[in-house]
Amino acid sequence: MGPHTIPAKSSVNTTVINGSDSLWSRISHYVSENRAVVYTVGAVIIVAGAGGIYYVSQSTGSGSGSNGTDKRGKKDRRKKEKGFKDSDQGKVDKVNEGIAVDTEIPEVDEDIVENLTSEQRTEYAAKLKAAGNKAYGSKQYEAAIELYSKALCCKKDPIYFSNRSACFNALQQWDKVVEDTSAAIALDPEYVKALNRRANAYEQLEQFSEALLDFTASCIIDGFRNESSAQSVERLLKKVAEAKGKTMLEAKPKKLPSPTFVSNYLQSFRPRPFPEGLEESATLDETSGDYHLRSGLRAIQRKTADAYEEAGTAFEKAVELGTSFPAFALNWRGTFKYLHGDSAQALADLSRSIELDSKITQSYIKRASMSLELGDRDAASSDFAAAIEQNPDDPDIFYHRAQLHFICGEFADAAKDYQKSIELDRDFIFSHIQLGVTQYKMGSIASSMATFRRCIKNFDKVPDVYNYYGELLLDQQKYQEAIEKFDLAIEMERQTKPMGMNVLPLINKALALFQWRQDFAEAEKLCEKALLLDPDCDIAVATMAQLLLQQGKVNGALEYFEKAANLARTEAEVVNALSYAEATRTQLQVQEKYPQLASKLQGMAGLGAR
């Protein structure tokens, strides 16, 4: 959540990373370390893990259907279905058959059935079903369909609909699978095999939201014991989120992220004086590119949303008009293109900047960071090496290369580069902070705490030190000490940056109160303050969603999850946020569509953050 040029995916909640990913990383860490998760919908828990989003629950309940279906048959059928696998999509039910398969097959039509007694209809239906099962086993699917249809003429039984749907499943007639499984579910709303088969058909038809709904209902009925269904939920959550995310990104106008995000990104580079000719005392023509370039540099120093927008426009204008510092101007325009989410144009600007002036090492560093974000580790490493060739004494190079090592889990190498950065410039606070965090990740708790104590001694007026030290204390569950550090950071931010306050200490304090005392009211107030100061702060939005969800305010939480997706910069961030939104929405839909599951959910309630 601090100065970082790459949206890190680390699972450590104390890592100094950009606000855009920090909440999801924090949640993953909290789940893995505490064996509980911080998102709850009723009794269903939405977990952010390395593989994506999935559901877990502590306890289960047993539900029973009605609609005249034989209850003992349901129990037997579900016992058989307990081990459902994907391969079961094409299997038929053979529960309570009791009929030899070589028994004479009765001839039936509507007129004949109308004259049969209830007992005769049941007997004829059982014989026809047994014959249908035999035909199905011989892969004579059309014949089996005809036999199951005749059985249904005698008796509307959910098993018969389900078995006929298995034939359509084998023939890949997905619309008919949906039709028959829907009929089976109408008769027995908790028919897990029918739900799973219909979900599979919906997925084949690319109706992913409907498939997700059915698999979720199946998971709830089975008490989340079925690994295959749970994996299907996770897979479909990703598919639904990716489809919606793609549409959202195509329609989404490019805009700067929150000022908190922009400030944290920009301050990951050491401040440097304006180039000679752009200094404050220089007289510049207001119509020149140099004038606009300096205006952009001035605006950045104000650290507000309006100022950052003004800076981005000024850098664009400077490049368009032409300037005495073309490589420098392209570096800054590329930086703001990146912050706007336009990676392609950003990379083009930075590459052109390097071509014009290979000595601007920041262009290499920023391009390396973008390459790593896009998954190209080799390109990132190459740019860092090229930057060192240009200036082996630039501490920024080693700081940002350390970030690359940190993100890749190479903590020993990260610590070496952070130390090198400190040796070259001891006055840059974030090298010290990140070294302390790295030591903590390596398990050197004493060394980490000593590093932060030195930071407090040497940088006692810098709020970031107290904020990140508080995060380490929070990770150790030293809640009171952590809150004291967050309070110090908040007060310093108010005093030193009233117009551009970093809201992260407010959010960290909210999370501390939530974890320690379950003080939702005060935590919400702190998040509201953060959002008042920085309405587009994605971590504040996501934290608010978490707090609302914990209190059962599901609709409100859903709104915040969707807002988090709208604020996300990259496709991966959008998909991540939408996965939570879709998980929340789907379980609301399950409860609306299958009200009989509400009591089952209540019976499983009780698992939350610990």
PDB file of all heavy atoms in Angstrom, residues 582-595:
ATOM      1  N   GLU A 582     -19.706 -11.118  -7.916  1.00  0.00           N
ATOM      2  CA  GLU A 582     -20.541 -12.190  -8.457  1.00  0.00           C
ATOM      3  C   GLU A 582     -20.829 -13.257  -7.414  1.00  0.00           C
ATOM      4  O   GLU A 582     -21.918 -13.827  -7.377  1.00  0.00           O
ATOM      5  CB  GLU A 582     -19.863 -12.818  -9.679  1.00  0.00           C
ATOM      6  CG  GLU A 582     -19.847 -11.918 -10.893  1.00  0.00           C
ATOM      7  CD  GLU A 582     -21.230 -11.393 -11.248  1.00  0.00           C
ATOM      8  OE1 GLU A 582     -22.181 -12.194 -11.331  1.00  0.00           O
ATOM      9  OE2 GLU A 582     -21.369 -10.174 -11.426  1.00  0.00           O
ATOM     10  N   ALA A 583     -19.861 -13.561  -6.561  1.00  0.00           N
ATOM     11  CA  ALA A 583     -20.099 -14.526  -5.486  1.00  0.00           C
ATOM     12  C   ALA A 583     -21.197 -14.030  -4.552  1.00  0.00           C
ATOM     13  O   ALA A 583     -22.083 -14.784  -4.143  1.00  0.00           O
ATOM     14  CB  ALA A 583     -18.808 -14.771  -4.707  1.00  0.00           C
ATOM     15  N   THR A 584     -21.146 -12.757  -4.239  1.00  0.00           N
ATOM     16  CA  THR A 584     -22.167 -12.161  -3.366  1.00  0.00           C
ATOM     17  C   THR A 584     -23.527 -12.157  -4.053  1.00  0.00           C
ATOM     18  O   THR A 584     -24.542 -12.562  -3.475  1.00  0.00           O
ATOM     19  CB  THR A 584     -21.761 -10.712  -3.023  1.00  0.00           C
ATOM     20  OG1 THR A 584     -20.442 -10.708  -2.486  1.00  0.00           O
ATOM     21  CG2 THR A 584     -22.720 -10.110  -2.018  1.00  0.00           C
ATOM     22  N   ARG A 585     -23.552 -11.712  -5.310  1.00  0.00           N
ATOM     23  CA  ARG A 585     -24.808 -11.639  -6.048  1.00  0.00           C
ATOM     24  C   ARG A 585     -25.437 -13.029  -6.216  1.00  0.00           C
ATOM     25  O   ARG A 585     -26.639 -13.218  -6.048  1.00  0.00           O
ATOM     26  CB  ARG A 585     -24.558 -11.015  -7.417  1.00  0.00           C
ATOM     27  CG  ARG A 585     -25.839 -10.703  -8.194  1.00  0.00           C
ATOM     28  CD  ARG A 585     -25.579 -10.427  -9.666  1.00  0.00           C
ATOM     29  NE  ARG A 585     -24.300  -9.813  -9.930  1.00  0.00           N
ATOM     30  CZ  ARG A 585     -24.062  -8.506  -9.792  1.00  0.00           C
ATOM     31  NH1 ARG A 585     -25.020  -7.712  -9.390  1.00  0.00           N
ATOM     32  NH2 ARG A 585     -22.862  -8.020 -10.057  1.00  0.00           N
ATOM     33  N   THR A 586     -24.605 -14.013  -6.532  1.00  0.00           N
ATOM     34  CA  THR A 586     -25.120 -15.358  -6.791  1.00  0.00           C
ATOM     35  C   THR A 586     -25.789 -15.937  -5.557  1.00  0.00           C
ATOM     36  O   THR A 586     -26.848 -16.568  -5.649  1.00  0.00           O
ATOM     37  CB  THR A 586     -23.973 -16.284  -7.247  1.00  0.00           C
ATOM     38  OG1 THR A 586     -23.444 -15.769  -8.475  1.00  0.00           O
ATOM     39  CG2 THR A 586     -24.473 -17.691  -7.487  1.00  0.00           C
ATOM     40  N   GLN A 587     -25.199 -15.725  -4.399  1.00  0.00           N
ATOM     41  CA  GLN A 587     -25.808 -16.295  -3.207  1.00  0.00           C
ATOM     42  C   GLN A 587     -27.095 -15.578  -2.821  1.00  0.00           C
ATOM     43  O   GLN A 587     -28.009 -16.189  -2.258  1.00  0.00           O
ATOM     44  CB  GLN A 587     -24.788 -16.304  -2.078  1.00  0.00           C
ATOM     45  CG  GLN A 587     -23.683 -17.295  -2.414  1.00  0.00           C
ATOM     46  CD  GLN A 587     -22.743 -17.514  -1.286  1.00  0.00           C
ATOM     47  OE1 GLN A 587     -23.161 -17.809  -0.178  1.00  0.00           O
ATOM     48  NE2 GLN A 587     -21.464 -17.385  -1.555  1.00  0.00           N
ATOM     49  N   LEU A 588     -27.191 -14.301  -3.148  1.00  0.00           N
ATOM     50  CA  LEU A 588     -28.479 -13.619  -2.984  1.00  0.00           C
ATOM     51  C   LEU A 588     -29.517 -14.252  -3.911  1.00  0.00           C
ATOM     52  O   LEU A 588     -30.663 -14.503  -3.513  1.00  0.00           O
ATOM     53  CB  LEU A 588     -28.332 -12.132  -3.311  1.00  0.00           C
ATOM     54  CG  LEU A 588     -27.704 -11.235  -2.246  1.00  0.00           C
ATOM     55  CD1 LEU A 588     -27.459  -9.851  -2.824  1.00  0.00           C
ATOM     56  CD2 LEU A 588     -28.609 -11.152  -1.021  1.00  0.00           C
ATOM     57  N   GLN A 589     -29.111 -14.537  -5.137  1.00  0.00           N
ATOM     58  CA  GLN A 589     -30.033 -15.141  -6.100  1.00  0.00           C
ATOM     59  C   GLN A 589     -30.439 -16.546  -5.686  1.00  0.00           C
ATOM     60  O   GLN A 589     -31.593 -16.949  -5.878  1.00  0.00           O
ATOM     61  CB  GLN A 589     -29.372 -15.175  -7.482  1.00  0.00           C
ATOM     62  CG  GLN A 589     -29.183 -13.797  -8.102  1.00  0.00           C
ATOM     63  CD  GLN A 589     -28.345 -13.838  -9.369  1.00  0.00           C
ATOM     64  OE1 GLN A 589     -27.657 -14.823  -9.642  1.00  0.00           O
ATOM     65  NE2 GLN A 589     -28.391 -12.762 -10.145  1.00  0.00           N
ATOM     66  N   VAL A 590     -29.507 -17.289  -5.116  1.00  0.00           N
ATOM     67  CA  VAL A 590     -29.830 -18.640  -4.638  1.00  0.00           C
ATOM     68  C   VAL A 590     -30.930 -18.576  -3.587  1.00  0.00           C
ATOM     69  O   VAL A 590     -31.896 -19.341  -3.621  1.00  0.00           O
ATOM     70  CB  VAL A 590     -28.579 -19.337  -4.059  1.00  0.00           C
ATOM     71  CG1 VAL A 590     -28.972 -20.580  -3.259  1.00  0.00           C
ATOM     72  CG2 VAL A 590     -27.630 -19.736  -5.180  1.00  0.00           C
ATOM     73  N   GLN A 591     -30.785 -17.650  -2.663  1.00  0.00           N
ATOM     74  CA  GLN A 591     -31.781 -17.544  -1.589  1.00  0.00           C
ATOM     75  C   GLN A 591     -33.134 -17.081  -2.126  1.00  0.00           C
ATOM     76  O   GLN A 591     -34.173 -17.460  -1.597  1.00  0.00           O
ATOM     77  CB  GLN A 591     -31.265 -16.594  -0.510  1.00  0.00           C
ATOM     78  CG  GLN A 591     -30.057 -17.151   0.226  1.00  0.00           C
ATOM     79  CD  GLN A 591     -29.551 -16.211   1.293  1.00  0.00           C
ATOM     80  OE1 GLN A 591     -30.153 -16.065   2.349  1.00  0.00           O
ATOM     81  NE2 GLN A 591     -28.424 -15.560   1.022  1.00  0.00           N
ATOM     82  N   GLU A 592     -33.105 -16.257  -3.175  1.00  0.00           N
ATOM     83  CA  GLU A 592     -34.366 -15.810  -3.760  1.00  0.00           C
ATOM     84  C   GLU A 592     -35.026 -16.925  -4.583  1.00  0.00           C
ATOM     85  O   GLU A 592     -36.236 -17.128  -4.519  1.00  0.00           O
ATOM     86  CB  GLU A 592     -34.116 -14.598  -4.653  1.00  0.00           C
ATOM     87  CG  GLU A 592     -33.725 -13.345  -3.880  1.00  0.00           C
ATOM     88  CD  GLU A 592     -33.255 -12.223  -4.796  1.00  0.00           C
ATOM     89  OE1 GLU A 592     -33.275 -12.426  -6.031  1.00  0.00           O
ATOM     90  OE2 GLU A 592     -32.852 -11.160  -4.282  1.00  0.00           O
ATOM     91  N   LYS A 593     -34.201 -17.665  -5.348  1.00  0.00           N
ATOM     92  CA  LYS A 593     -34.739 -18.697  -6.231  1.00  0.00           C
ATOM     93  C   LYS A 593     -35.069 -19.979  -5.488  1.00  0.00           C
ATOM     94  O   LYS A 593     -35.989 -20.710  -5.856  1.00  0.00           O
ATOM     95  CB  LYS A 593     -33.735 -18.989  -7.343  1.00  0.00           C
ATOM     96  CG  LYS A 593     -34.285 -19.895  -8.447  1.00  0.00           C
ATOM     97  CD  LYS A 593     -33.329 -19.955  -9.631  1.00  0.00           C
ATOM     98  CE  LYS A 593     -33.910 -20.815 -10.755  1.00  0.00           C
ATOM     99  NZ  LYS A 593     -33.020 -20.854 -11.931  1.00  0.00           N
ATOM    100  N   TYR A 594     -34.290 -20.274  -4.439  1.00  0.00           N
ATOM    101  CA  TYR A 594     -34.499 -21.499  -3.661  1.00  0.00           C
ATOM    102  C   TYR A 594     -34.691 -21.132  -2.196  1.00  0.00           C
ATOM    103  O   TYR A 594     -33.807 -21.339  -1.360  1.00  0.00           O
ATOM    104  CB  TYR A 594     -33.295 -22.442  -3.810  1.00  0.00           C
ATOM    105  CG  TYR A 594     -32.965 -22.814  -5.230  1.00  0.00           C
ATOM    106  CD1 TYR A 594     -31.896 -22.214  -5.903  1.00  0.00           C
ATOM    107  CD2 TYR A 594     -33.721 -23.766  -5.915  1.00  0.00           C
ATOM    108  CE1 TYR A 594     -31.594 -22.544  -7.211  1.00  0.00           C
ATOM    109  CE2 TYR A 594     -33.422 -24.104  -7.228  1.00  0.00           C
ATOM    110  CZ  TYR A 594     -32.357 -23.489  -7.865  1.00  0.00           C
ATOM    111  OH  TYR A 594     -32.060 -23.833  -9.165  1.00  0.00           O
ATOM    112  N   PRO A 595     -35.855 -20.551  -1.861  1.00  0.00           N
ATOM    113  CA  PRO A 595     -36.059 -20.084  -0.485  1.00  0.00           C
ATOM    114  C   PRO A 595     -35.934 -21.195   0.555  1.00  0.00           C
ATOM    115  O   PRO A 595     -35.649 -20.929   1.720  1.00  0.00           O
ATOM    116  CB  PRO A 595     -37.480 -19.499  -0.530  1.00  0.00           C
ATOM    117  CG  PRO A 595     -38.116 -20.088  -1.743  1.00  0.00           C
ATOM    118  CD  PRO A 595     -37.020 -20.306  -2.722  1.00  0.00           C
TER     119      PRO A 595
END
